[in-house]
Amino acid sequence: MFANANGLQADSLVRIAGVNVGKVTSVSTEPGCKSAATTAAACNAAEVTMEIDNGGLPIHKDATFAIRPRIFLEGNFFVDINPGTPEAPVAPDGHTFPIQQGVEPVQLDQVLTGLQA
């Protein structure tokens, strides 16, 4: 789960230490965000499903995920995985990592807005 996955698409690369280890299979909004009763603030989550090759395993439950640009200002993104510590349990197939373990990209307009102050 990511707070925001803008720019990330299906078939985007998944990398560990710069090595391609898989791909993104789907990007969708959190299921509760499709309800008219939810507020915009509650709908800032995206579920990113990834397929990891055997060479990228194991991934531990304390792994972290960051959406990074492939080339600055190009607009293509990839998921960079830190697979976690060996002391942590291995995440089973289909495991959903909490939103706190995902870092979304900073967009250029966010940087410019911060500089206006």
Side-chain angles (χ1 to χ4, degrees):
M1 297 295 295
F2 288 92
N4 185 344
N6 58 343
L8 192 66
Q9 302 174 358
D11 292 327
S12 294
L13 296 174
V14 176
R15 296 178 177 168
I16 295 176
V19 177
N20 296 341
V21 295
K23 66 179 182 172
V24 172
T25 55
S26 69
V27 178
S28 60
T29 58
E30 183 179 317
C33 290
K34 298 188 184 212
S35 165
T38 57
T39 64
C43 290
N44 288 335
E47 182 176 40
V48 176
T49 305
M50 295 173 266
E51 185 176 283
I52 309 297
D53 303 331
N54 287 336
L57 299 176
I59 296 178
H60 300 271
K61 288 189 175 183
D62 64 346
T64 56
F65 303 82
I67 299 175
R68 304 218 187 273
R70 287 181 61 189
I71 299 175
F72 186 66
L73 297 178
E74 178 189 0
N76 291 328
F77 294 89
F78 70 95
V79 178
D80 187 18
I81 300 177
N82 176 338
T85 58
E87 296 82 26
V90 174
D93 190 28
H95 181 73
T96 299
F97 290 90
I99 199 166
Q100 296 84 359
Q101 290 175 236
V103 178
E104 66 277 355
V106 175
Q107 301 296 319
L108 184 60
D109 65 323
Q110 293 171 318
V111 173
L112 296 176
T113 302
L115 294 175
Q116 289 177 357

